[in-house]
Amino acid sequence: MPDDLTLPEPVGSFPAAGQPVPQHWSRCFGCGDQSPAGMSMSFTAGEGLDVWGRLEVAPRYQGGPGVIHGGILSTAFDEALGMVCRSIVDGPVVTGHLEIDFARPIPLGSVLEFHARIDGSIRRKVYASAEARIVEGPTADPDVVVATSRGLFLTVTAEHFEKTKDFVDGVPERPFGTSSI
Ligand SMILES: CCCCCCCCCCCC(=O)SCCNC(=O)CCNC(=O)[C@H](O)C(C)(C)COP(=O)(O)OP(=O)(O)OC[C@H]1O[C@@H](n2cnc3c(N)ncnc32)[C@H](O)[C@@H]1OP(=O)(O)O
């Protein structure tokens, strides 16, 4: 992380502390309410440049026997870190780099709480970090951090999605999306 980062003021569009942070896109796999196979994560604004997120670990998120798939957990962190960028960016961001440390197994049936914060920004780059705790479920302990993450997000313009925006319901000539099978 660069040592010349700044911590901007929150943007006016970011909700007040304790208020829901709305989905950024209804079809988003992480937070969208029109993504039936998605994760339906919800978010609340924190006191500063931070958000709280919630994920119910459904049985279909299974990786190893009885535990969450690491890719699902990575997706949840991606979403939480992207969401906190909204505290300082009034426009779209995309993930440039994402890293995860998996500290404890997370059983299916858990409810995970994410706390994500802005570490700083410079030019188009926003650095954020987060941790996750199990707050409900068989091994719930709000004092134990079960995973941590850091990410770099880049602000982009609407033009970034220009070539893909017509594919929101799938690629028409390819009924199974972009797969060749
Ligand atoms: C409505 C609200 C929604 C907000 C809420 C959003 C929540 C969404 C949550 C899900 C988000 C996703 O999963 S998004 C999907 C996954 N991500 C993607 O598809 C992105 C694919 N990658 C790209 O399109 C591109 O590589 C970009 C846009 C990330 C960067 O390309 P670019 O725009 O040409 O930028 P570029 O000039 O290369 O780099 C700009 C600066 O960033 C640095 N940089 C770029 N990439 C990296 C990198 N991986 N690691 C380190 N540094 C990097 C460069 O060194 C440079 O630093 P310097 O010279 O300034 O020092």
Side-chain angles (χ1 to χ4, degrees):
M1 197 160 57
D3 53 15
D4 51 352
L5 298 178
T6 60
L7 269 179
E9 292 296 312
V11 293
S13 55
F14 192 62
Q19 295 301 305
V21 182
Q23 62 187 2
H24 63 89
W25 169 230
S26 63
R27 310 293 182 93
C28 173
F29 182 79
C31 68
D33 63 6
Q34 290 182 51
S35 179
M39 292 165 43
S40 301
M41 291 184 75
S42 57
F43 292 91
T44 304
E47 297 285 334
L49 302 177
D50 63 314
V51 298
W52 296 88
R54 180 182 163 95
L55 173 70
E56 297 177 13
V57 183
R60 63 196 167 89
Y61 300 158
Q62 189 158 191
V67 297
I68 194 171
H69 194 292
I72 291 286
L73 186 60
S74 304
T75 302
F77 272 121
D78 191 15
E79 193 68 31
L81 295 173
M83 278 292 189
V84 77
C85 291
R86 301 175 75 182
S87 66
I88 62 166
V89 179
D90 194 6
V93 296
V94 294
T95 322
H97 178 81
L98 181 68
E99 55 191 61
I100 316 288
D101 285 306
F102 302 88
R104 296 278 190 284
I106 297 169
L108 304 178
S110 303
V111 174
L112 285 172
E113 183 181 78
F114 296 83
H115 191 203
R117 67 197 61 77
I118 299 295
D119 295 322
S121 74
I122 182 166
R123 295 183 289 281
R124 293 170 50 215
K125 301 188 290 188
V126 181
Y127 292 82
S129 59
E131 66 270 338
R133 296 176 174 82
I134 300 173
V135 293
E136 290 176 37
T139 63
D141 185 343
D143 294 329
V144 173
V145 171
V146 295
T148 58
S149 178
R150 296 195 304 175
L152 166 63
F153 290 75
L154 276 294
T155 61
V156 293
T157 63
E159 200 175 29
H160 178 87
F161 302 102
E162 192 57 36
K163 289 182 178 163
T164 55
K165 66 181 172 47
D166 294 334
F167 303 158
V168 295
D169 292 316
V171 181
E173 66 272 24
R174 295 188 178 186
F176 302 108
T178 54
S179 168
S180 58
I181 57 171

